[in-house]
């Protein structure tokens, strides 16, 4: 069975990064996963974020597993749609994708539309919530279908972030462990 080294599990936060109480930050601290830092978390540019992920993937000594939240999910899809190096990713956990095509988000995230709706070239699981303020349940299901992701309905869990009260979110980490051992 193939197991991914912790330094090859890459944390992809969304817009404004993930704070210390977010499950991504907790996993990074507890398990030694590596955050893909961006130079601008407040005004993210899709091209810059794609280039940064590509750069970090070339530092991994084996295919990486991506752990994306919110805009990080769109980041994953955009990178996969443009990169010639998708074999550097083993799998992806996509949690609570934001919808950058919603009218109120377009001025804030202008470079993120259109959202790529092509099948990802690696296995993925998308975990969504029925009451996410940043993406309708129908839209999150459409992302899962388009990206070829196994869909997990987390019920009413908001944006699946620190405010959702998940703490270390062991159930989410169990899904990640499955992807790490594919």
């Amino acid at each position: 069975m193939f197991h991914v080294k912790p330094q090859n599990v890459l944390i992809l936060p969304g817009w404004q990064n993930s704070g210390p109480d977010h499950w991504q930050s907790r996993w990074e601290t507890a398990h030694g996963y590596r955050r893909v830092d961006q130079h601008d978390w407040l005004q993210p540019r899709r091209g810059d974020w794609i280039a940064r992920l590509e750069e970090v993937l070339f530092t991994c000594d084996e295919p990486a597993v991506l752990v994306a939240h919110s805009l990080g999910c769109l980041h994953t899809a955009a990178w996969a749609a443009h990169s010639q190096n998708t074999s550097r990713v083993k799998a992806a956990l996509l949690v609570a994708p934001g919808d950058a095509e919603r009218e109120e988000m377009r001025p804030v995230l202008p470079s993120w539309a259109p959202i790529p709706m092509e099948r990802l070239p690696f296995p993925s699981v998308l975990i969504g919530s029925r009451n996410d303020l940043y993406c309708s349940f129908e839209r999150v299901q459409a992302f899962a279908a388009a990206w070829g992701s196994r869909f997990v309905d987390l019920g009413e869990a908001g944006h699946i972030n620190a405010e959702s009260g998940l703490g270390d979110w062991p159930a989410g980490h169990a899904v990640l462990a499955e992807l790490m051992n594919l």
Side-chain angles (χ1 to χ4, degrees):
M1 184 179 292
F2 184 77
H3 184 73
V4 178
K5 297 175 195 163
Q7 67 268 26
N8 294 324
V9 176
L10 302 180
I11 302 287
L12 303 179
W15 178 44
Q16 300 179 358
N17 204 347
S18 292
D21 295 329
H22 194 287
W23 56 267
Q24 281 186 316
S25 300
R26 289 170 174 253
W27 291 2
E28 179 183 12
T29 300
H31 303 285
Y33 303 154
R34 194 161 41 134
R35 181 176 308 245
V36 176
D37 283 314
Q38 298 295 340
H39 82 281
D40 193 341
W41 291 107
L42 300 180
Q43 297 178 342
R45 293 191 187 115
R46 180 160 63 177
D48 292 348
W49 281 34
I50 289 171
R52 179 67 179 136
L53 177 55
E54 188 88 354
E55 178 184 318
V56 172
L57 283 166
F58 273 96
T59 69
C60 295
D61 60 357
E62 62 189 27
V65 173
L66 307 179
V67 180
H69 179 258
S70 194
L71 189 62
C73 299
L74 306 189
H75 180 198
T76 300
W79 170 81
H82 292 93
S83 179
Q84 300 297 308
N85 299 296
T86 57
S87 63
R88 292 190 165 273
V89 171
K90 175 184 176 71
L93 176 62
L94 309 168
V95 180
D99 188 352
E101 293 178 357
R102 289 170 50 159
E103 278 309 311
E104 66 272 18
M105 296 309 295
R106 286 178 183 266
V108 178
L109 302 170
S111 67
W112 291 89
I115 297 169
M117 297 298 276
E118 293 90 30
R119 185 176 188 84
L120 297 175
F122 39 80
S124 61
V125 174
L126 191 154
I127 301 176
S129 168
R130 291 179 174 268
N131 63 340
D132 189 334
L133 295 175
Y134 298 100
C135 190
S136 72
F137 190 64
E138 294 75 23
R139 186 77 161 143
V140 78
Q141 290 177 304
F143 288 146
W147 296 338
S149 303
R150 179 169 61 93
F151 182 68
V152 175
D153 177 354
L154 202 59
E156 294 194 357
H159 194 46
I160 314 177
N161 55 12
E163 289 76 32
S164 299
L166 298 169
D168 292 338
W169 195 27
H173 198 263
V175 175
L176 174 61
E178 290 174 25
L179 289 169
M180 290 171 68
N181 289 311
L182 286 178

